[in-house]
Amino acid sequence: MPHIFIDTNRSLGTIDPNIYGQFSEHLGRCIYQGIYVGENAEIPNSNGMRCDVVNALKALHIPVLRWPGGCFADTYHWRDGIGPQAQRKTIVNTNWGGVSEDNSFGTHEFMELTRQLGCEAYFSGNVGSGTVQEFSDWVEYCNMGGVSPMASLRRENGREAPFNVKYWGIGNEAWGCGGNMRAEYYADLCRQYSTYLRSYSPDHKIYKIASGANVDDYHWTRTVLERAGHVIDAVSLHYYTLPHQDWQHKGSATEFTESEYYTTLHKTLRMEELVENHSRIIRQFAGGRKIGLAVDEWGTWYDVEPGTNPGFLYQQNTMRDALVAAINLNIFNNHCDTVCMANIAQMVNVLQAMILTEGSKMVLTPTYHVFALYAAHQGAQQLESYAETSILRHDEEAVPTLHVSASRAADGKILVTVANLDAAHPAEAQVLLGGVKAAAVDGTVLCGTADARNTFTAPDAVQPKALSAVLTADGFTAALPACSVAAFTVTPQ
């Protein structure tokens, strides 16, 4: 029987709720149709936001939402999205599908969305094709409470009080779609932009996030931290899981072999190496300052669903994706001393989405249910954990049977989240709680075949269900189904 050890006396600190952040880009049907349908739509909405989608997302207790991109951010000019909607400029989304959009969803609409969700806003600013003045004006427009040109413009557009947007990304993927820059050039731009991104209230200090590395570009992180670390609060990291590294043939979201299943999980596990290595560089050049790692784009990336627009990045979501989510969230939890934020890509209808929509229909994906199972980790004290398991090997790609993280909430309850990565075999797990005697334990599990998924004709095919656990003298035991994600809430004596 594999053992899982939870040391309740050892912790790296608090799990930042922002690790459970989301990402919404002007891409495909994420914003339009997925989140925003307009006030005159037949689909039930509140100020243009789909009620079904917002209510489902509120249940996840989303802490922070990133917008408007992504690659779209560095072609986005925020003034195009303010003022009377009928007078806004129609633009072409040159990054994603070449479609036209009318800018009916802009700064005020996004802030209305965050209000409905009860989350913080994270704006990704335009460094690639914008100017320092444009970015500085956006911060002033959102955050200036006194008298100024941008504050007056905001009030003319119907908002008296400042929005007090805290999180600001200084560009996106500056090494690629955000300008194809060298690390040295971007680091200097980051210093320049940061100088003019000001806090307009001592009670609402803005948090500046530098455009960070693609995967294992450690030179990028080192250069940005060495040259601009003194003017930022965090640096980002982007890493997507692809079954195949050929971006033209990444693999199907639903039709995959056992080998592709294990390859996907093996590549996902690389996130730990990346977080550790980038964190080491951050600590080396932070100079005693607290600088975080924001993994603000992560998740699976497959070929689009057959018959859909290739530029819309619409893909289905299976139990394989649920395990990818569990692995990543466990890793982020267990590196909470450095990881200050993470934003899965993306929230609705794009890549590894929480929700899929089709007209008035809505489906919750297996990934959505993993976020629900893990929600109680937000703001809890991380507990050191270790899974003593066998290693699954497929084509020499090592994958452990079990993957785990744990935390203790303010009320003393302990949440243990475990993924059984074995696609074919259940696992009898013995969980040992060092330093705590359990009075009760409640379990919930999400499981199914690796390709199990929810569809518009079968929206409830993959659903969480109760999982029994048996108390022991030093913890509890539970039978974990094959290909499953389980969450156990332990009430101590």
Side-chain angles (χ1 to χ4, degrees), residues 114 286 361:
T114 63
K361 299 177 183 177

Side-chain angles (χ1 to χ4, degrees), residues 273-412:
E273 165 200 328
L274 298 173
V275 167
E276 289 178 348
N277 289 344
H278 286 289
S279 295
R280 191 174 298 113
I281 295 170
I282 290 172
R283 286 191 290 267
Q284 180 183 356
F285 291 100
R289 295 182 66 241
K290 177 65 175 176
I291 299 178
L293 180 65
V295 190
D296 58 18
E297 287 189 31
W298 66 271
T300 52
W301 194 323
Y302 308 122
D303 297 332
V304 301
E305 292 303 303
T308 65
N309 188 322
F312 283 8
L313 306 188
Y314 177 80
Q315 63 187 42
Q316 249 293 356
N317 196 290
T318 67
M319 273 303 302
R320 176 175 63 162
D321 298 286
L323 292 174
V324 167
I327 291 170
N328 278 292
L329 293 174
N330 285 338
I331 291 171
F332 300 150
N333 289 343
N334 290 328
H335 291 84
C336 64
D337 56 332
T338 304
V339 179
C340 63
M341 184 188 293
N343 307 78
I344 188 170
Q346 291 184 16
M347 197 159 66
V348 184
N349 288 332
V350 173
L351 299 176
Q352 191 175 348
M354 304 292 107
I355 292 172
L356 304 178
T357 67
E358 187 177 273
S360 62
K361 299 177 183 177
M362 181 189 75
V363 165
L364 305 180
T365 68
T367 296
Y368 173 96
H369 293 303
V370 170
F371 270 73
L373 291 176
Y374 278 59
H377 280 308
Q378 295 185 35
Q381 179 191 35
Q382 180 263 1
L383 300 176
E384 296 226 0
S385 59
Y386 172 73
E388 183 183 73
T389 71
S390 58
I391 297 296
L392 303 166
R393 287 190 177 274
H394 199 93
D395 296 334
E396 298 306 311
E397 293 184 336
V399 172
T401 304
L402 302 179
H403 201 268
V404 61
S405 69
S407 68
R408 176 166 44 210
D411 63 3

Side-chain angles (χ1 to χ4, degrees), residues 316 363-364 453-463:
Q316 249 293 356
V363 165
L364 305 180
R453 55 194 179 273
N454 294 327
T455 67
F456 295 105
T457 55
D460 300 320
V462 182
Q463 292 287 314

Side-chain angles (χ1 to χ4, degrees), residues 111-147:
M111 294 310 299
E112 169 63 14
L113 173 61
T114 63
R115 185 195 67 79
Q116 292 187 24
L117 293 175
C119 71
E120 293 275 6
Y122 170 15
F123 281 22
S124 184
N126 185 345
V127 172
S129 69
T131 66
V132 175
Q133 184 69 59
E134 179 183 20
F135 199 160
S136 175
D137 284 350
W138 202 10
V139 177
E140 181 184 326
Y141 183 89
C142 290
N143 291 2
M144 179 62 180
V147 177

Side-chain angles (χ1 to χ4, degrees), residues 26-356:
H26 287 244
L27 198 173
R29 296 187 297 111
C30 181
I31 299 292
Y32 299 104
Q33 299 180 44
I35 297 169
Y36 184 74
V37 291
E39 296 181 32
N40 297 322
E42 294 183 0
I43 296 173
N45 69 86
S46 176
N47 295 328
M49 313 299 162
R50 290 183 61 136
C51 294
D52 54 352
V53 170
V54 168
N55 289 336
L57 293 171
K58 283 176 66 176
L60 298 181
H61 306 291
I62 291 172
V64 64
L65 178 57
R66 182 174 181 242
W67 173 84
C71 291
F72 181 82
D74 281 283
T75 62
Y76 183 67
H77 300 283
W78 66 271
R79 283 184 176 84
D80 294 344
I82 61 172
Q85 290 182 338
Q87 298 176 19
R88 296 182 190 178
K89 183 188 298 183
T90 295
I91 61 171
V92 177
N93 191 332
T94 55
N95 285 291
W96 305 116
V99 296
S100 295
E101 62 168 83
D102 62 5
N103 269 308
S104 57
F105 189 95
T107 298
H108 289 254
E109 289 75 24
F110 178 69
M111 294 310 299
E112 169 63 14
L113 173 61
T114 63
R115 185 195 67 79
Q116 292 187 24
L117 293 175
C119 71
E120 293 275 6
Y122 170 15
F123 281 22
S124 184
N126 185 345
V127 172
S129 69
T131 66
V132 175
Q133 184 69 59
E134 179 183 20
F135 199 160
S136 175
D137 284 350
W138 202 10
V139 177
E140 181 184 326
Y141 183 89
C142 290
N143 291 2
M144 179 62 180
V147 177
S148 77
M150 292 301 104
S152 296
L153 180 59
R154 184 190 68 240
R155 293 184 179 103
E156 288 175 17
N157 290 325
R159 173 74 182 194
E160 173 64 31
F163 291 119
N164 292 322
V165 175
K166 179 177 181 179
Y167 299 102
W168 294 87
I170 305 175
N172 167 78
E173 294 188 358
W175 41 263
C177 64
N180 284 305
M181 302 176 193
R182 295 178 301 112
E184 293 79 4
Y185 179 74
Y186 171 74
D188 286 343
L189 276 184
C190 184
R191 291 164 61 123
Q192 180 188 14
Y193 272 74
S194 180
T195 302
Y196 297 98
L197 305 183
R198 297 187 171 94
S199 298
Y200 287 93
S201 165
D203 297 326
H204 299 284
K205 185 178 183 297
I206 67 172
Y207 190 94
K208 304 172 187 179
I209 302 175
S211 176
N214 181 32
V215 194
D216 59 356
D217 186 352
Y218 301 120
H219 169 73
W220 184 280
T221 300
R222 185 177 298 107
T223 302
V224 171
L225 264 294
E226 185 176 17
R227 299 188 177 202
H230 62 293
V231 298
I232 61 172
D233 299 293
V235 61
S236 69
L237 168 66
H238 290 181
Y239 177 58
Y240 287 95
T241 296
L242 283 66
H244 306 290
Q245 288 307 117
D246 180 358
W247 280 85
Q248 302 305 313
H249 303 92
K250 296 177 286 292
S252 169
T254 57
E255 304 294 331
F256 51 88
T257 65
E258 182 184 81
S259 175
E260 289 173 313
Y261 167 82
Y262 285 111
T263 295
T264 302
L265 299 188
H266 175 77
K267 290 183 175 179
T268 296
L269 287 159
R270 192 186 178 198
M271 180 66 83
E272 183 136 33
E273 165 200 328
L274 298 173
V275 167
E276 289 178 348
N277 289 344
H278 286 289
S279 295
R280 191 174 298 113
I281 295 170
I282 290 172
R283 286 191 290 267
Q284 180 183 356
F285 291 100
R289 295 182 66 241
K290 177 65 175 176
I291 299 178
L293 180 65
V295 190
D296 58 18
E297 287 189 31
W298 66 271
T300 52
W301 194 323
Y302 308 122
D303 297 332
V304 301
E305 292 303 303
T308 65
N309 188 322
F312 283 8
L313 306 188
Y314 177 80
Q315 63 187 42
Q316 249 293 356
N317 196 290
T318 67
M319 273 303 302
R320 176 175 63 162
D321 298 286
L323 292 174
V324 167
I327 291 170
N328 278 292
L329 293 174
N330 285 338
I331 291 171
F332 300 150
N333 289 343
N334 290 328
H335 291 84
C336 64
D337 56 332
T338 304
V339 179
C340 63
M341 184 188 293
N343 307 78
I344 188 170
Q346 291 184 16
M347 197 159 66
V348 184
N349 288 332
V350 173
L351 299 176
Q352 191 175 348
M354 304 292 107
I355 292 172
L356 304 178

